Amino acid sequence: MSEVRPQVVWQGSLFDDADPERAPMSFEGLRRDDLDATSWLDVVPSWVPDHADLFDWLLAEAPWQQRTRTMWDNEVLEPRLVAGIPTPFPDRIAELVAPLDVRYGVRFDSCLVNLYRDGSDAVAWHADTVRKVLTNPLVATVSLGARRSFLVRPAGGGSVARRYNPGEGDLIVMGGAMQHDWHHTVPREKSASGARMSVTLRHSRPAG
Ligand SMILES: O=C(O)CCC(=O)C(=O)O
């Protein structure tokens, strides 16, 4: 698959400068939402203070690719761009991973970045495939750029149980049995104010 250079509407300068008083990647503002007795989701607002710089760096440097998938026997373009960040991670990614490794007691060793170029890009209801190889995997996501809806519902279907609106450096960590019992989506959103990126981090070995 060849690399593509994304063109997006994005003006990082519109976002506030990083707050010099705020410790970067601190878990002080963490809130845990229990979805049920075994599944949870942690949210830390503004976890990455210089999120606009990180967005710009990834936009320019990540190896963006346009994947396809088969739908009803047709090859269709996936409605977002993706980039796998190889290990050893560059400093900008390593500095996200290090505090997460310590807090969650795993080694986040895989980084896949998604670019939602505008409100037409999306990802459908799903759970992460890492659940097939690990029991109760953790999946950490840093959202950069424009805010987009991030919805959660039971894996068996039914109505939306939780609604989040991450962007601008917010962290979400999905944990417990969430990848087995719950699904998540970033739906299309006509009113999206610009491009969004999600830096997703996964681990390939169990905790401990
Ligand atoms: O962009 C997001 O926040 C979610 C991404 C996701 O669920 C995935 O890539 O599997």
Side-chain angles (χ1 to χ4, degrees):
M1 223 182 310
S2 59
E3 267 184 49
V4 293
R5 277 294 112 217
Q7 304 285 323
V8 298
V9 175
W10 160 248
Q11 275 183 284
S13 56
L14 290 182
F15 291 93
D16 288 343
D17 283 342
D19 177 354
E21 298 296 306
R22 215 192 124 83
M25 281 74 87
S26 148
F27 293 96
E28 222 169 274
L30 184 147
R31 184 188 82 225
R32 176 159 294 190
D33 284 350
D34 289 313
L35 300 171
D36 58 24
T38 52
S39 299
W40 52 262
L41 189 148
D42 283 348
V43 182
V44 187
S46 305
W47 192 65
V48 178
D50 61 342
H51 55 89
D53 286 351
L54 181 56
F55 186 110
D56 286 341
W57 179 75
L58 283 165
L59 192 63
E61 301 296 335
W64 295 107
Q65 299 195 321
Q66 171 68 76
R67 291 193 303 208
T68 57
R69 59 178 183 205
T70 308
M71 255 178 106
W72 311 110
D73 290 339
N74 290 318
E75 284 271 283
V76 295
L77 299 182
E78 192 179 324
R80 60 180 184 175
L81 299 182
V82 298
I85 308 294
T87 53
F89 292 136
D91 289 353
R92 250 356 223 110
I93 299 299
E95 68 192 23
L96 305 178
V97 166
L100 288 167
D101 285 358
V102 172
R103 174 145 193 122
Y104 291 98
V106 296
R107 206 162 76 78
F108 286 98
D109 53 7
S110 140
C111 177
L112 195 68
V113 188
N114 303 299
L115 175 62
Y116 302 84
R117 293 157 290 188
D118 56 31
S120 309
D121 278 355
V123 66
W125 287 109
H126 69 287
D128 280 54
T129 47
V130 64
R131 74 186 182 283
K132 295 179 185 164
V133 289
L134 284 183
T135 304
N136 293 356
L138 293 156
V139 179
T141 300
V142 177
S143 294
L144 308 172
R147 294 189 176 280
R148 290 284 296 269
S149 295
F150 178 98
L151 312 178
V152 175
R153 75 176 184 194
S159 50
V160 172
R162 302 280 168 146
R163 291 174 185 273
Y164 301 91
N165 198 29
E168 301 180 35
D170 297 345
L171 171 71
I172 285 181
V173 180
M174 298 181 270
M178 182 165 172
Q179 301 307 327
H180 305 286
D181 296 341
W182 296 82
H183 281 178
H184 56 278
T185 180
V186 176
R188 288 203 166 82
E189 205 164 310
K190 271 199 185 133
S191 59
S193 62
R196 167 183 183 256
M197 233 178 245
S198 58
V199 181
T200 64
L201 300 163
R202 297 176 178 79
H203 55 107
S204 56
R205 287 163 195 243

Coordinates of all heavy atoms in Angstrom, one line a residue, residues 92-137:
R92 N 7.9 11.6 20.4 CA 6.6 12.2 20.6 C 5.5 11.1 21.0 O 4.6 11.5 21.7 CB 6.1 12.9 19.2 CG 6.0 14.3 19.1 CD 6.3 15.2 20.3 NE 5.3 16.2 20.4 CZ 4.3 16.3 21.3 NH1 4.2 15.4 22.2 NH2 3.5 17.3 21.3
I93 N 5.7 9.9 20.5 CA 4.8 8.8 20.9 C 5.3 8.2 22.2 O 4.5 7.9 23.1 CB 4.7 7.8 19.7 CG1 4.2 8.5 18.5 CG2 3.8 6.6 20.1 CD1 2.8 9.1 18.6
A94 N 6.6 8.0 22.3 CA 7.1 7.4 23.5 C 6.7 8.2 24.8 O 6.5 7.6 25.8 CB 8.7 7.3 23.4
E95 N 6.6 9.5 24.6 CA 6.3 10.3 25.8 C 4.8 10.1 26.2 O 4.4 10.5 27.3 CB 6.7 11.7 25.7 CG 5.9 12.5 24.6 CD 6.6 13.9 24.3 OE1 7.8 14.0 24.5 OE2 5.9 14.7 23.8
L96 N 4.0 9.6 25.3 CA 2.6 9.3 25.6 C 2.5 7.9 26.3 O 1.8 7.7 27.3 CB 1.7 9.3 24.4 CG 1.6 10.5 23.5 CD1 0.7 10.2 22.3 CD2 1.1 11.7 24.3
V97 N 3.3 7.0 25.7 CA 3.3 5.6 26.1 C 3.8 5.4 27.5 O 3.3 4.7 28.3 CB 4.1 4.8 25.1 CG1 4.4 3.4 25.6 CG2 3.3 4.7 23.8
A98 N 4.9 6.1 27.9 CA 5.6 5.9 29.2 C 4.7 6.0 30.4 O 4.6 5.1 31.2 CB 6.8 6.8 29.3
P99 N 3.9 7.2 30.5 CA 3.1 7.3 31.7 C 1.9 6.3 31.6 O 1.4 5.9 32.7 CB 2.6 8.7 31.6 CG 2.9 9.2 30.2 CD 4.0 8.4 29.7
L100 N 1.5 5.9 30.4 CA 0.3 4.9 30.3 C 0.8 3.6 30.8 O 0.1 2.8 31.5 CB -0.2 4.9 28.9 CG -1.0 6.1 28.4 CD1 -1.2 6.1 26.9 CD2 -2.3 6.1 29.2
D101 N 2.0 3.2 30.4 CA 2.6 1.9 30.8 C 2.6 1.8 32.3 O 2.3 0.8 32.9 CB 4.0 1.7 30.3 CG 4.1 1.4 28.8 OD1 3.0 1.3 28.2 OD2 5.2 1.3 28.3
V102 N 3.1 2.9 33.0 CA 3.2 2.9 34.4 C 1.9 2.8 35.1 O 1.6 2.0 36.0 CB 4.0 4.2 34.9 CG1 4.0 4.3 36.4 CG2 5.4 4.2 34.4
R103 N 0.9 3.6 34.6 CA -0.4 3.7 35.3 C -1.2 2.4 35.1 O -1.8 1.9 36.0 CB -1.2 4.8 34.7 CG -2.6 4.8 35.3 CD -3.2 6.1 35.5 NE -4.4 6.0 36.3 CZ -4.6 6.5 37.5 NH1 -3.7 7.3 38.0 NH2 -5.7 6.3 38.2
Y104 N -1.1 1.8 33.9 CA -2.0 0.6 33.6 C -1.3 -0.7 33.7 O -1.9 -1.8 33.6 CB -2.6 0.8 32.3 CG -3.7 1.9 32.3 CD1 -3.4 3.2 31.9 CD2 -4.9 1.8 32.9 CE1 -4.3 4.3 32.0 CE2 -5.9 2.8 33.0 CZ -5.5 4.0 32.5 OH -6.4 5.1 32.6
G105 N 0.1 -0.7 34.0 CA 0.8 -1.9 34.2 C 0.9 -2.9 33.0 O 0.9 -4.1 33.2
V106 N 0.9 -2.3 31.8 CA 1.1 -3.1 30.6 C 2.1 -2.4 29.8 O 2.5 -1.2 30.1 CB -0.2 -3.3 29.8 CG1 -1.2 -4.0 30.5 CG2 -0.7 -1.9 29.3
R107 N 2.6 -3.0 28.7 CA 3.5 -2.3 27.8 C 2.7 -2.0 26.5 O 2.5 -3.0 25.7 CB 4.8 -3.2 27.5 CG 6.0 -2.3 27.2 CD 7.2 -3.1 27.3 NE 7.4 -4.1 26.2 CZ 7.9 -3.7 25.0 NH1 8.2 -2.5 24.7 NH2 8.0 -4.6 24.1
F108 N 2.4 -0.8 26.3 CA 1.7 -0.4 25.1 C 2.7 -0.4 23.9 O 3.6 0.4 23.9 CB 1.0 1.0 25.2 CG -0.2 1.0 26.1 CD1 -0.2 1.3 27.4 CD2 -1.5 0.6 25.6 CE1 -1.3 1.3 28.2 CE2 -2.6 0.5 26.4 CZ -2.5 0.9 27.7
D109 N 2.6 -1.5 23.1 CA 3.7 -1.7 22.1 C 3.2 -1.5 20.7 O 3.9 -1.9 19.7 CB 4.4 -3.0 22.3 CG 3.4 -4.2 22.4 OD1 2.2 -3.9 22.1 OD2 3.8 -5.3 22.7
S110 N 1.9 -1.1 20.5 CA 1.4 -0.9 19.2 C 0.7 0.5 19.1 O 0.0 0.8 20.0 CB 0.5 -2.0 18.8 OG -0.6 -1.6 18.1
C111 N 1.0 1.2 18.0 CA 0.4 2.6 17.8 C -0.2 2.7 16.4 O 0.6 2.6 15.5 CB 1.4 3.6 18.1 SG 0.8 5.3 17.9
L112 N -1.5 2.9 16.4 CA -2.1 3.1 15.1 C -2.9 4.4 15.2 O -3.7 4.6 16.1 CB -3.1 2.0 14.8 CG -3.6 1.8 13.4 CD1 -2.5 1.4 12.5 CD2 -4.7 0.7 13.4
V113 N -2.6 5.3 14.2 CA -3.2 6.6 14.2 C -4.3 6.7 13.1 O -4.1 6.2 12.0 CB -2.2 7.7 14.0 CG1 -2.8 9.1 14.3 CG2 -1.0 7.5 15.0
N114 N -5.5 7.2 13.5 CA -6.6 7.4 12.5 C -6.8 8.8 12.2 O -6.7 9.7 13.2 CB -7.9 6.8 13.1 CG -7.7 5.4 13.5 OD1 -7.4 4.5 12.7 ND2 -7.9 5.1 14.8
L115 N -7.0 9.2 11.0 CA -7.3 10.6 10.6 C -8.7 10.6 10.0 O -9.0 10.0 8.9 CB -6.3 11.1 9.6 CG -6.5 12.5 9.0 CD1 -6.5 13.5 10.1 CD2 -5.5 12.8 7.9
Y116 N -9.6 11.4 10.7 CA -10.9 11.6 10.2 C -10.9 13.0 9.6 O -10.8 14.0 10.2 CB -11.9 11.6 11.4 CG -11.9 10.3 12.1 CD1 -11.0 10.0 13.1 CD2 -12.8 9.3 11.8 CE1 -11.0 8.8 13.8 CE2 -12.8 8.0 12.5 CZ -11.9 7.8 13.5 OH -11.9 6.6 14.1
R117 N -10.8 13.0 8.2 CA -10.4 14.3 7.5 C -11.5 15.3 7.7 O -11.3 16.5 7.7 CB -10.2 14.0 6.0 CG -8.9 13.1 5.8 CD -8.9 12.4 4.5 NE -9.9 11.3 4.6 CZ -10.1 10.4 3.6 NH1 -9.3 10.4 2.6 NH2 -11.0 9.5 3.7
D118 N -12.8 14.8 7.7 CA -13.9 15.7 7.9 C -15.0 14.9 8.5 O -14.9 13.7 8.8 CB -14.3 16.5 6.6 CG -14.6 15.5 5.5 OD1 -15.1 14.4 5.8 OD2 -14.4 15.8 4.3
G119 N -16.2 15.5 8.6 CA -17.4 14.8 9.2 C -17.9 13.6 8.4 O -18.7 12.9 8.9
S120 N -17.4 13.4 7.2 CA -17.8 12.2 6.4 C -17.0 11.0 6.8 O -17.4 9.9 6.4 CB -17.6 12.4 4.9 OG -18.2 13.6 4.5
D121 N -15.8 11.2 7.4 CA -15.0 10.1 7.8 C -15.6 9.5 9.1 O -16.0 10.3 10.0 CB -13.6 10.5 7.9 CG -12.8 10.5 6.6 OD1 -13.4 10.1 5.6 OD2 -11.7 10.9 6.6
A122 N -15.5 8.2 9.3 CA -16.1 7.6 10.5 C -15.6 6.2 10.7 O -14.9 5.7 9.8 CB -17.6 7.6 10.2
V123 N -15.9 5.6 11.8 CA -15.7 4.2 12.0 C -17.0 3.6 12.6 O -17.6 4.2 13.5 CB -14.5 3.8 12.8 CG1 -14.6 4.3 14.3 CG2 -14.1 2.4 12.8
A124 N -17.5 2.5 12.0 CA -18.7 1.9 12.4 C -18.7 1.2 13.8 O -17.6 1.0 14.3 CB -19.1 0.8 11.3
W125 N -19.8 0.8 14.3 CA -19.8 0.0 15.6 C -18.9 -1.2 15.5 O -19.0 -2.0 14.6 CB -21.2 -0.4 15.9 CG -22.2 0.6 16.3 CD1 -23.2 1.1 15.5 CD2 -22.2 1.3 17.5 NE1 -23.9 2.1 16.3 CE2 -23.3 2.3 17.5 CE3 -21.4 1.3 18.7 CZ2 -23.6 3.1 18.5 CZ3 -21.7 2.2 19.7 CH2 -22.8 3.0 19.7
H126 N -18.1 -1.3 16.5 CA -17.2 -2.5 16.5 C -16.5 -2.6 17.9 O -16.7 -1.7 18.7 CB -16.0 -2.3 15.5 CG -15.1 -1.3 15.9 ND1 -15.4 0.1 15.8 CD2 -13.8 -1.3 16.4 CE1 -14.4 0.8 16.2 NE2 -13.4 0.0 16.6
A127 N -15.9 -3.7 18.2 CA -14.9 -3.8 19.3 C -13.6 -4.2 18.7 O -13.5 -4.7 17.6 CB -15.4 -5.0 20.2
D128 N -12.5 -3.9 19.4 CA -11.2 -4.0 18.9 C -10.8 -5.5 18.7 O -11.1 -6.3 19.6 CB -10.2 -3.3 19.7 CG -10.2 -1.8 19.4 OD1 -11.2 -1.2 19.5 OD2 -9.1 -1.3 19.1
T129 N -10.2 -5.9 17.6 CA -9.8 -7.3 17.4 C -8.8 -7.8 18.4 O -8.7 -9.1 18.5 CB -9.3 -7.4 15.9 OG1 -8.3 -6.4 15.7 CG2 -10.4 -7.3 14.9
V130 N -8.1 -7.0 19.1 CA -7.2 -7.4 20.1 C -7.9 -8.3 21.1 O -7.2 -9.2 21.8 CB -6.4 -6.2 20.7 CG1 -7.3 -5.3 21.5 CG2 -5.2 -6.7 21.5
R131 N -9.2 -8.2 21.3 CA -9.9 -9.1 22.2 C -9.8 -10.5 21.9 O -10.0 -11.4 22.7 CB -11.4 -8.6 22.3 CG -12.2 -9.1 21.0 CD -13.6 -8.6 21.0 NE -14.4 -9.0 19.9 CZ -14.2 -8.6 18.6 NH1 -13.4 -7.6 18.4 NH2 -14.9 -9.0 17.6
K132 N -9.5 -10.8 20.6 CA -9.4 -12.2 20.2 C -8.1 -12.9 20.7 O -8.1 -14.1 20.7 CB -9.5 -12.3 18.6 CG -10.8 -11.9 18.1 CD -10.9 -11.9 16.6 CE -12.2 -11.3 16.1 NZ -12.2 -11.0 14.7
V133 N -7.1 -12.1 21.0 CA -5.9 -12.7 21.5 C -5.6 -12.4 23.0 O -4.7 -13.0 23.6 CB -4.7 -12.3 20.6 CG1 -4.7 -12.9 19.3 CG2 -4.6 -10.8 20.5
L134 N -6.3 -11.4 23.5 CA -6.1 -11.1 24.9 C -7.4 -11.0 25.7 O -8.4 -10.5 25.1 CB -5.4 -9.7 25.1 CG -3.9 -9.5 24.7 CD1 -3.6 -8.1 25.0 CD2 -3.1 -10.4 25.5
T135 N -7.4 -11.5 26.9 CA -8.6 -11.3 27.7 C -8.5 -9.9 28.4 O -7.5 -9.6 28.9 CB -8.6 -12.4 28.8 OG1 -8.6 -13.7 28.2 CG2 -9.9 -12.3 29.7
N136 N -9.6 -9.2 28.2 CA -9.7 -7.9 28.8 C -8.5 -6.9 28.5 O -7.8 -6.4 29.3 CB -9.8 -7.9 30.3 CG -11.1 -8.6 30.7 OD1 -12.0 -8.9 29.9 ND2 -11.3 -8.8 32.0
P137 N -8.3 -6.7 27.1 CA -7.2 -5.8 26.7 C -7.6 -4.4 27.0 O -8.7 -4.0 27.1 CB -7.2 -6.0 25.2 CG -8.6 -6.4 24.8 CD -9.1 -7.2 26.0

